[in-house]
Amino acid sequence: MQPYFLPYIGYFQLIAAVDVFILYDNTKYTKKGWINRNRLLLNGTDSTFSLPLKHDSDDLDICERELATAFKRDKLLNQFIGAYRRAPYFEQTMPLLDQIVRYEDTNLFRFLHHSITRICQQLGITTTIEISSNVAIDHTLRRQAKVLAQCDAMHASIYINAIGGVDLYEKEAFQERGIQLNFIRSKLPEYAQFGNAFVPHLSIIDVMMFNSPDVIQSYLYNAYELI
């Protein structure tokens, strides 16, 4: 998977469901994707937050992009403080968020890698996370061919992708390599968000602000289906 900034819980359900999770560093940054942005809850609706990036070529890989020198970490943290200061698990979650946002490395991939691994540690997810460029394959391969090569390199018997990949991969191609192909669909139940109508698909930080660690564990390992 590509790295994303504070992604929704389905991303972490996928990490928790596998033995090895491969994080792409040597794939192109997509300008309109979710690599450096996500959504939080503000005044009962969703609001976007983002990491500002240094202006650079759209042809660069994620590992070649840098955070903007004008990135104001306090400003981003204040967005979360303003949105969640009254949330029941605000005091438990803010120290983690502070560590993530104040991480000093300005390389986009390393910044995102740190944030993902720190959240996994906080949530008790022990899955091995590998960096794609460290996997011994032909890195000029693309899409399904690259995934199949990574599966072969890892001696995988099962490959699980996010539900959005259903139209990208062919089960027959995986079966020919002796690999079972599955997709994970998150089925997160509604939870209380300041008593307002539930807003789904927000950052994992929203889940952590409103739910106890035990409840989040239940969400991680039970609130999804494999198809």
Side-chain angles (χ1 to χ4, degrees), residues 2-6 23-25 27-31 34-37 50-54 56 60-68 71 73 100 103-116:
Q2 291 179 328
Y4 299 108
F5 186 46
L6 307 178
L23 199 59
Y24 277 129
D25 62 332
T27 192
K28 283 188 174 26
Y29 168 79
T30 50
K31 185 185 294 185
W34 294 93
I35 292 172
N36 62 308
R37 66 191 182 102
S50 62
L51 295 171
L53 300 183
K54 177 183 175 182
D56 223 324
L60 294 180
D61 285 346
I62 297 171
C63 62
E64 298 173 306
R65 297 303 303 264
E66 296 286 323
L67 300 180
F71 175 31
R73 287 166 167 79
I100 288 171
Y103 188 59
E104 293 184 356
D105 201 316
T106 60
N107 176 267
L108 176 61
F109 176 77
R110 291 195 295 268
F111 190 91
L112 296 177
H113 179 257
H114 173 260
S115 68
I116 290 166

Side-chain angles (χ1 to χ4, degrees), residues 93-207:
T93 306
M94 271 312 293
L96 170 67
L97 191 58
D98 192 84
Q99 291 175 21
I100 288 171
V101 173
R102 295 193 189 282
Y103 188 59
E104 293 184 356
D105 201 316
T106 60
N107 176 267
L108 176 61
F109 176 77
R110 291 195 295 268
F111 190 91
L112 296 177
H113 179 257
H114 173 260
S115 68
I116 290 166
T117 55
R118 281 294 294 113
I119 291 171
C120 285
Q121 290 169 4
Q122 185 89 352
L123 298 179
I125 299 172
T126 59
T127 298
T128 298
I129 297 179
E130 297 282 356
I131 297 173
S132 62
S133 61
N134 292 336
V135 181
I137 64 166
D138 177 359
H139 288 283
T140 64
L141 295 171
R142 301 185 66 194
R143 300 186 177 90
Q144 179 171 284
K146 188 169 187 175
V147 170
L148 286 168
Q150 289 171 326
C151 287
D152 288 342
M154 290 291 173
H155 308 291
S157 57
I158 301 172
Y159 173 68
I160 304 176
N161 196 268
I163 193 66
V166 166
D167 296 327
L168 301 178
Y169 303 105
E170 302 168 356
K171 287 207 171 188
E172 296 76 12
F174 285 81
Q175 289 170 350
E176 289 173 1
R177 309 283 263 273
I179 302 167
Q180 177 182 318
L181 174 63
N182 287 113
F183 300 93
I184 190 168
R185 176 188 285 134
S186 183
K187 300 177 70 175
L188 182 69
E190 295 186 5
Y191 52 84
Q193 295 170 322
F194 299 131
N196 299 317
F198 181 68
V199 181
H201 310 307
L202 301 180
S203 164
I204 186 66
I205 297 300
D206 189 85
V207 176

